[in-house]
Amino acid sequence: MTETETIAYDVVVLGAGPVGENVADRTRAAGLSTAIVESELVGGECSYWACMPSKALLRPVIARADARRLPGLSQAAQGPLDAAAVFARRDEYTSHWHDDGQVRWLDGIGADLYRGRGRLAGRRTVTVTGADGEVRTLTARHAVAVCTGTRAKLPGLPGLDEVGPWTSREATSAEEVPERLIVVGGGVVATEMATAFQALGSQVTVLVRGKGLLSRMEPFAGELVAEALTDAGADIRTGTAVESVTRENGTVVAVTGGGDRFEADEILFATGRAPRTDDIGLETVGLEPGSWLSVDDTLRVEGSTWLYACGDVNHRALLTHQGKYQARIAGDAIGARAAGAPLLETDPWGAHAATADHHAVPQVVFTDPEAAAVGLSLAEAEQAGHRVRAVDVDLSSVAGASLYGDGYRGRARMVVDLDEEILRGVTFVGPGVGELLHSASVAVAGQVPVERLWHAVPSYPTISEVWLRLLEAYRG
């Protein structure tokens, strides 16, 4: 191990995924010299093992499903998907797991990239150990931002390592379609990968510990997705906990607490995420290694004046787009503080407050049907003490949905705050609703009064007419 000189910057960012890139972009825009440290690929989990490859796998699946709903196309779309072509297109969207383009972007904004393992080494100090063992020390005049994300969390089952289980990384980068696949979990990764591999030709079994799928959304979201997966041929077992997993002569065998035995060629565990903070030197600044980092709304770590944490590591909203939002807020806050601003705009919805984390987090699950939601569910709104009313509409009643495809099935819900007459949350489930969600995000984040929404006229005949149906149902 070779020590080198200490190099000073205004800001040092740990992690060059989308979140770290956005922090660097904003601090460079503020005129601050910025170093960014990455131990894997610039572009992070989202670009190579999560958002981009998973959606590239799912897009042909959804397109075929939509085609099968349309006379004139349905007969032509009955054949199997070309898995090799689907994987090849996925590979293009991951740049074949090369990060040259992302590195060029960093160069373009003037941020300095350091490849290697970055660790805090005390106040405003980061050491970077390169692959050759060379150690560089970076100091930050104003801020260090931790943007190291999360990793898949595997259960503590005996012998699991010997089984060679899939996590989201192995699923999204798979080169072959297993004949049989067990998916353990009922969240976003589980439902999306079950959708993708069932359509690509796997016989999928989904084992869910809880009562249903997508438990963080309105109950009908998971119900509709489960019905569609079942219709497609998947076997979904709820209330089922995996107690042991072995691999016998190449076959994975999962045994549940009830004694049921399931066999497959591969098993995917989509059972949660853990923060990548176990080996980044948190102990050198008085924090617990492996912990989530609690932050205020400017994304500054509680109790610190210089340490920030954006994205998954702060556990506020484990979504790429929300982490990028936090990064923009944090970068601007760092810039303002570095410039000596006497006061930051930290009131709710201010320029330096990540208010949407609390009130307007959007998410799309790219299953068939899609599930899209923003803000609070009915149960969450009630638990938060709001006096609310849920308004539901069958999406198939909307002309645009009927035109979208025969046999369209879907549902929409808006949760109305009866005291303030604004929306606390909106959920859509149905084919094509992902592109509908941003209208709901604007309504929730903008706290648009229900009466004003009457004047936002949806175009006919689009699925967006569901807004009119929801408002009519609310008025009665």
Side-chain angles (χ1 to χ4, degrees):
M1 184 179 295
T2 305
E3 294 280 354
T4 62
E5 79 278 10
T6 297
I7 309 168
Y9 288 90
D10 292 323
V11 180
V12 177
V13 181
L14 278 178
V19 177
E21 288 176 325
N22 272 266
V23 172
D25 187 42
R26 297 311 304 154
T27 56
R28 287 296 300 130
L32 302 177
S33 61
T34 301
I36 189 164
V37 182
E38 179 54 55
S39 61
E40 293 187 290
L41 295 175
V42 176
E45 196 82 9
C46 175
S47 298
Y48 306 103
W49 300 286
C51 314
M52 295 306 291
S54 65
K55 280 41 178 189
L57 289 174
L58 285 158
R59 180 61 198 140
V61 173
I62 303 304
R64 184 181 67 167
D66 285 342
R68 286 178 170 180
R69 297 182 181 102
L70 293 171
L73 272 178
S74 59
Q75 192 60 39
Q78 292 305 312
L81 290 168
D82 182 339
V86 173
F87 287 151
R89 185 171 186 265
R90 182 270 320 272
D91 293 350
E92 292 178 8
Y93 275 88
T94 60
S95 300
H96 298 273
W97 289 275
H98 293 292
D99 61 3
D100 300 10
Q102 302 270 14
V103 172
R104 285 195 296 273
W105 181 86
L106 279 180
D107 288 342
I109 66 169
D112 290 345
L113 171 64
Y114 290 83
R115 291 191 183 272
R117 184 169 62 90
R119 300 185 85 252
L120 291 164
R123 184 179 177 84
R124 292 193 174 95
T125 304
V126 171
T127 59
V128 185
T129 304
D132 58 0
E134 186 176 13
V135 178
R136 291 182 171 86
T137 299
L138 312 178
T139 60
R141 300 182 188 92
H142 298 292
V144 174
V146 177
C147 308
T148 50
T150 56
R151 61 168 59 86
K153 184 178 181 180
L154 289 169
L157 297 176
L160 186 59
D161 289 344
E162 286 72 36
V163 172
W166 280 9
T167 67
S168 53
R169 281 198 172 197
E170 288 75 24
T172 57
S173 61
E175 296 181 357
E176 295 182 356
V177 178
E179 184 177 339
R180 300 164 299 172
L181 174 66
I182 295 172
V183 177
V184 183
V188 177
V189 172
T191 53
E192 288 189 345
M193 290 300 95
T195 299
F197 281 95
Q198 180 68 39
L200 286 167
S202 292
Q203 175 54 56
V204 173
T205 301
V206 183
L207 305 179
V208 189
R209 181 186 293 271
K211 296 179 180 179
L213 305 180
L214 302 176
S215 60
R216 295 179 181 271
M217 292 182 137
E218 298 284 9
F220 63 82
E223 291 166 5
L224 287 169
V225 170
E227 289 175 12
L229 276 170
T230 300
D231 290 345
D235 181 9
I236 300 176
R237 305 292 183 95
T238 58
T240 302
V242 176
E243 296 293 336
S244 69
V245 181
T246 57
R247 192 179 283 274
E248 303 172 6
N249 299 318
T251 297
V252 175
V253 179
V255 179
T256 70
D260 293 326
R261 175 187 171 101
F262 297 91
E263 296 185 356
D265 301 287
E266 301 292 349
I267 185 167
L268 163 63
F269 280 90
T271 49
R273 308 289 296 179
R276 289 180 178 270
T277 60
D278 52 311
D279 191 26
I280 62 168
L282 290 184
E283 68 279 2
T284 70
V285 295
L287 296 171
E288 182 181 350
S291 65
W292 302 101
L293 299 177
S294 297
V295 296
D296 62 21
D297 276 357
T298 69
L299 289 309
R300 191 162 60 178
V301 173
E302 292 178 355
S304 175
T305 59
W306 58 273
L307 185 63
Y308 292 72
C310 303
D312 285 8
V313 292
N314 61 39
H315 208 243
R316 286 163 69 108
L318 277 65
L319 296 160
T320 296
H321 49 269
Q322 210 67 20
K324 291 164 68 174
Y325 160 74
Q326 293 171 10
R328 295 190 292 271
I329 297 291
D332 288 346
I334 291 167
R337 286 175 171 139
L343 291 173
L344 269 62
E345 298 177 40
T346 57
D347 289 338
W349 309 109
H352 306 118
T355 311
D357 286 350
H358 309 298
H359 303 293
V361 174
Q363 182 173 26
V364 178
V365 185
F366 292 85
T367 46
D368 177 40
E370 292 175 347
V374 63
L376 304 179
S377 67
L378 174 61
E380 289 170 337
E382 290 175 338
Q383 290 166 6
H386 300 297
R387 193 171 68 91
V388 293
R389 175 186 163 197
V391 181
D392 290 1
V393 166
D394 182 346
L395 262 170
S396 66
S397 67
V398 177
S402 298
L403 287 168
Y404 191 94
D406 291 355
Y408 190 104
R409 295 188 64 205
R411 186 171 170 185
R413 168 175 287 180
M414 68 178 187
V415 179
V416 183
D417 187 309
L418 297 174
D419 295 316
E420 298 191 35
E421 285 283 304
I422 59 173
L423 304 186
R424 291 292 176 185
V426 180
T427 299
F428 303 117
V429 182
V433 298
E435 296 298 338
L436 183 62
L437 184 63
H438 195 59
S439 59
S441 297
V442 171
V444 173
Q447 298 181 329
V448 180
V450 172
E451 286 302 314
R452 179 58 61 87
L453 287 174
W454 272 100
H455 299 282
V457 182
S459 298
Y460 181 85
T462 65
I463 301 177
S464 293
E465 253 203 319
V466 68
W467 281 107
L468 179 56
R469 301 285 91 83
L470 286 165
L471 293 166
E472 287 172 340
Y474 178 64
R475 275 194 169 182

